[in-house]
Amino acid sequence: MSPIVRVQGLTRRFGRRWALRGIDLEVERGTVVALLGANGTGKTTLLKVFSTLLRPTAGRVEVLGSVLPRDQDYVRAKTALMTPTGHTYEELTGLENLRFATHMSGPPLSDSSLHEILMGVRLENAANTRVRAYSTGMRKRLELARMQLRTPELVLLDEPFVSLDEEGIQLVQSKISDWRSEGTSVIIASHRIATATAGADRIVRLERGRVASEETA
Amino acid sequence: MNSLMRQTKAIFWKDIITETRTRQGFSAMVSFAALVLFLFSFAVGPDTDLLTQLAGGLLWVTIVFTGTLSLGRAYQSEELAGGVQLLRLYPGDARAIYLGKLAGNLVILTTLELVLFPATAIIFHVDLLPHVTSLITVAALGTIGFSVIGTFFATLTVHLRARELLLPLLLFPALVPVVLGSVGATDAFLSGDPLGRAAGWLQLLIAYDVILFVVCVWIFPVVLEE
Amino acid sequence: MKTQRTIGFLAIASVAVASFIGLFVVPADEYQGEIQRLLYIHVPTAWLAMLSFLVVFLMSLLYLVQRKLKWDVLAVSAVEIGVLSTALTLIVGSLYARPTWGIWWTWDPRLTTTALLLIIYIGYLIVRSMTEDPEQRARWAAVIGVIGFIQVPIVYLSVFWWRSLHQPPSSPRSMAAGFGLVLLLNLIAYTIAFTYLVMRRYKLGQAELALELAGPEEEK
């Protein structure tokens, strides 16, 4: 089977600044990869390219065997990205946020399925509370719930542990291992080395927009 | 139901819920509109006949000013949720974002006009009731024109520095036909249309609405690219 | 390079000759006097304004279809010359209007539309300056280049109708003998100058872009 992500000579420029200066990378299906590096080394840019948000300046990018940016829609349907701040609306309740996301994603799930998913992240009591009243941990759990609306084949997590307490970190980590056991590939971008590498199959270090080292965990 | 319609409805529904839960914003908008109407009256002077004559123009300029402020508001909740471009992560046509936002802006602006038209009638001594159906037609066409081009430029400027200045700079020249058409038709109807000019203005509005809508829908995906 | 120099020489020579004829060879207008000679500048600059914004429109469309930055460079070259021509048109037009009709400004549809065009394309240039990313800049510019131009005929028509409610639009009176011919000469001369200026600005724009993409602050 082809790798879930295959990248050759990927560069991305923002005006004069090069965020990615030639990335070569392959990620096997069903593995968890920790993408490490200081701030500004290109982790977020790389995830945005994989998730189709950014077009590459040059280079070949294949995600799920499809070439970007040509087969965007296919990749979008099978990929889930979690940004550091999340994609939830303050004035909507937890349930309404999920309802919005499921209507945007495809044939919508019923409210009872949405309740079940909320129960899975222990938000059943906050289903009808507006997100503006949520704590950081609750927001992260709602994000995890949102990503479960579809069954993605590739999960991209951008700094998933930032500003979480121990309990929150454990929840995210257990979710990652769930994905792994289901055969879903996960790429975690983080500067928290210990947390991110626990449970990772491979560790990729970025430096100044290039892959500095790759090792098996 | 195809995915474009489903996504358009989802975005529209989300924006309207957000709007109803931040009602302070809408109240502030209505108060702002009322203040603009008052300021115009102060600038023109207390000549009631003159104000009655100018009512159509003053009303539409107030709608344009207030509507421009309201366009920016539609993107505030989006910014708090990580930016409008995250909506592109859902598979499907990016035009759903434009259509959903457009529908939301139409409803908000219409609600504003439900307050503004009667208010204008009262403070400028204009009798709207005999012309109510024709005026609704004008209002609908003008509001569509404003929202079609306004939603488009609001999305274009959302990530720009100094967007609160750039949005009117790009928007107002584009609104000239909308303002002239709406004011022309409103004035014509209010005076009983003795010269038969209203139909021409309505045709102009329809033509502009259709052309701009087609072009904006066609070109919109480019605006959200990164 | 050689063609460019030839066109440059042709531009200077033709503008000089056309201006000379306009200023000294044709007789002044019988009624308007010397002031009428301003039309030999006013009309060609107005023509250049329209020509350049048409070029911008076409280049913007080409960019949107092909995504090649050279079309964007060509578009911005035309916009800058277009903005300059539009400003000149308005200034010279005002200077002509004052002694002729006794006013600096009138709500003539052509005049009003020209003033609005100036604002639209100043907006175009400001939006461009808001990002360092050449592709982002080109996308935003192309969008405004297309929408801005499409508005023009409708804006013109709406102002025309609006004004016709108040007074009939001014129609030009009969002009001095030879006016049409000299005007045509000036139009041709200015168009050659336009071509030359766009070519030079395009070269400059490409050099700027190359510098921007190479980036002095860091190598790839």
Side-chain angles (χ1 to χ4, degrees):
Chain A
M1 210 144 92
S2 65
I4 193 122
V5 169
R6 177 161 41 195
V7 171
Q8 279 162 351
L10 166 64
T11 61
R12 170 68 203 203
R13 186 187 59 212
F14 295 98
R16 285 184 180 181
R17 197 172 62 80
W18 289 88
L20 302 175
R21 297 157 196 259
I23 302 264
D24 298 301
L25 185 68
E26 275 192 18
V27 176
E28 291 305 313
R29 276 185 200 251
T31 56
V32 175
V33 174
L35 200 59
L36 303 179
N39 289 331
T41 49
K43 302 187 301 286
T44 299
T45 308
L46 194 55
L47 290 195
K48 281 189 171 174
V49 171
F50 292 162
S51 67
T52 76
L53 273 184
L54 285 178
R55 283 164 180 256
T57 300
R60 185 180 169 82
V61 182
E62 258 178 65
V63 177
L64 297 135
S66 305
V67 179
L68 288 181
R70 207 181 55 216
D71 303 319
Q72 277 186 356
D73 256 21
Y74 177 77
V75 174
R76 281 175 189 171
K78 306 251 171 182
T79 313
L81 169 74
M82 184 203 262
T83 58
T85 47
H87 186 208
T88 43
Y89 294 93
E90 298 279 302
E91 299 300 330
L92 301 190
T93 67
L95 181 64
E96 285 166 344
N97 263 296
L98 290 193
R99 209 185 278 150
F100 173 69
T102 187
H103 276 84
M104 292 297 289
S105 303
L109 300 174
S110 68
D111 271 12
S112 58
S113 328
L114 297 182
H115 268 294
E116 252 171 63
I117 290 174
L118 280 173
M119 222 180 293
V121 293
R122 290 180 284 114
L123 279 178
E124 63 274 19
N125 293 323
N128 294 314
T129 310
R130 287 192 220 174
V131 169
R132 65 185 310 169
Y134 277 28
S135 66
T136 317
M138 289 164 83
R139 283 162 193 252
K140 201 58 96 180
R141 278 184 270 156
L142 185 61
E143 271 295 288
L144 289 174
R146 194 177 59 80
M147 299 178 78
Q148 276 165 255
L149 293 175
R150 297 175 277 163
T151 33
E153 287 180 33
L154 172 64
V155 169
L156 306 164
L157 305 174
D158 191 2
E159 298 291 356
F161 306 110
V162 158
S163 64
L164 282 185
D165 56 11
E166 271 315 305
E167 199 196 342
I169 290 175
Q170 272 168 26
L171 184 84
V172 175
Q173 279 178 332
S174 80
K175 190 60 218 165
I176 292 171
S177 67
D178 286 353
W179 272 317
R180 188 176 186 281
S181 58
E182 290 160 10
T184 306
S185 319
V186 183
I187 302 179
I188 310 161
S190 177
H191 58 260
R192 296 185 53 145
I193 296 168
T195 328
T197 51
D201 300 301
R202 285 177 72 72
I203 298 165
V204 176
R205 281 197 173 73
L206 289 191
E207 238 170 71
R208 287 188 21 102
R210 287 198 181 88
V211 176
S213 71
E214 258 188 279
E215 56 194 280
T216 310
Chain B
M1 191 169 55
N2 68 36
S3 76
L4 183 74
M5 272 304 287
R6 190 186 61 235
Q7 292 184 334
T8 302
K9 273 167 80 174
I11 291 170
F12 169 70
W13 169 85
K14 165 188 76 67
D15 280 357
I16 292 300
I17 289 194
T18 306
E19 190 64 39
T20 55
R21 288 184 187 164
T22 49
R23 271 185 298 258
Q24 319 84 297
F26 188 77
S27 319
M29 244 171 64
V30 172
S31 316
F32 173 81
L35 275 175
V36 174
L37 281 180
F38 274 127
L39 280 178
F40 278 144
S41 318
F42 297 153
V44 171
D47 179 347
T48 319
D49 289 342
L50 185 59
L51 282 172
T52 308
Q53 256 181 38
L54 294 177
L58 301 185
L59 170 68
W60 278 101
V61 174
T62 306
I63 291 174
V64 166
F65 282 0
T66 319
T68 306
L69 288 182
S70 126
L71 288 173
R73 272 168 47 74
Y75 279 98
Q76 276 169 10
S77 67
E78 217 64 72
E79 288 300 291
L80 285 174
V84 67
Q85 66 276 31
L86 284 184
L87 288 174
R88 282 175 46 231
L89 288 176
Y90 295 106
D93 196 334
R95 291 178 175 92
I97 302 168
Y98 175 71
L99 296 173
K101 294 263 164 211
L102 170 62
N105 283 329
L106 273 175
V107 168
I108 293 164
L109 204 59
T110 306
T111 318
L112 178 79
E113 286 168 11
L114 287 179
V115 183
L116 269 185
F117 270 84
T120 313
I122 292 166
I123 63 175
F124 294 146
H125 304 271
V126 186
D127 194 3
L128 298 181
L129 287 178
H131 319 286
V132 87
T133 35
S134 1
L135 285 178
I136 287 175
T137 316
V138 184
L141 291 175
T143 309
I144 291 170
F146 178 90
S147 305
V148 161
I149 189 87
T151 308
F152 185 86
F153 279 132
T155 318
L156 183 74
T157 51
V158 71
H159 295 301
L160 294 181
R161 286 174 275 136
R163 63 173 174 212
E164 49 292 308
L165 266 175
L166 276 173
L167 174 59
L169 182 66
L170 294 174
L171 182 58
F172 288 0
L175 285 178
V176 167
V178 176
V179 171
L180 288 180
S182 305
V183 174
T186 307
D187 284 350
F189 283 129
L190 287 181
S191 61
D193 200 10
L195 300 170
R197 294 204 187 265
W201 286 123
L202 291 184
Q203 280 163 8
L204 177 91
L205 280 173
I206 293 170
Y208 194 69
D209 288 2
V210 170
I211 294 171
L212 263 290
F213 179 72
V214 170
V215 176
C216 287
V217 166
W218 171 67
I219 216 169
F220 183 79
V222 181
V223 175
L224 280 187
E225 273 176 39
E226 262 187 275
Chain C
M1 208 59 205
K2 205 169 170 203
T3 0
Q4 186 182 300
R5 213 174 299 156
T6 317
I7 295 179
F9 175 74
L10 210 62
I12 295 172
S14 59
V15 171
V17 169
S19 302
F20 182 81
I21 295 176
L23 279 173
F24 303 111
V25 179
V26 247
D29 185 82
E30 202 180 324
Y31 303 102
Q32 300 177 19
E34 300 291 334
I35 193 76
Q36 175 262 338
R37 298 185 194 275
L38 277 176
L39 291 185
Y40 297 129
I41 304 173
H42 178 66
V43 178
T45 49
W47 150 249
L48 286 196
M50 284 319 290
L51 178 67
S52 37
F53 297 140
L54 175 68
V55 171
V56 178
F57 174 67
L58 296 175
M59 293 308 118
S60 301
L61 279 180
L62 263 176
Y63 175 78
L64 289 178
V65 174
Q66 294 190 350
R67 302 299 172 110
K68 293 203 173 104
L69 283 173
K70 64 176 177 182
W71 302 127
D72 178 58
V73 177
L74 209 49
V76 72
S77 311
V79 166
E80 286 182 2
I81 295 159
V83 165
L84 184 72
S85 311
T86 315
L88 270 176
T89 308
L90 291 173
I91 294 169
V92 175
S94 277
L95 291 177
Y96 174 72
R98 175 69 194 168
T100 315
W101 294 303
I103 39 168
W104 295 104
W105 178 265
T106 166
W107 294 102
D108 173 78
R110 277 167 300 183
L111 181 55
T112 312
T113 309
T114 309
L116 286 167
L117 274 177
L118 184 63
I119 296 171
I120 292 174
Y121 288 94
I122 286 175
Y124 175 104
L125 290 173
I126 295 177
V127 169
R128 288 186 72 91
S129 68
M130 290 282 160
T131 176
E132 309 258 283
D133 182 351
E135 273 96 13
Q136 180 78 279
R137 190 170 59 208
R139 275 195 300 273
W140 287 344
V143 165
I144 301 174
V146 171
I147 302 255
F149 191 76
I150 286 174
Q151 295 159 12
V152 175
I154 310 179
V155 169
Y156 176 84
L157 190 68
S158 61
V159 179
F160 180 80
W161 283 1
W162 171 67
R163 186 175 132 106
S164 67
L165 300 182
H166 300 273
Q167 56 183 129
S170 59
S171 53
R173 284 186 296 143
S174 63
M175 287 293 173
F179 171 74
L181 203 63
V182 179
L183 186 60
L184 184 67
L185 195 65
N186 272 278
L187 279 171
I188 294 169
Y190 276 69
T191 309
I192 298 171
F194 169 82
T195 315
Y196 177 68
L197 287 174
V198 170
M199 278 172 78
R200 289 304 297 262
R201 178 62 184 84
Y202 176 66
K203 282 252 166 71
L204 186 67
Q206 284 217 314
E208 270 175 358
L209 185 68
L211 189 67
E212 222 176 342
L213 295 186
E217 53 185 284
E218 50 179 41
E219 81 301 351
K220 189 184 127 189

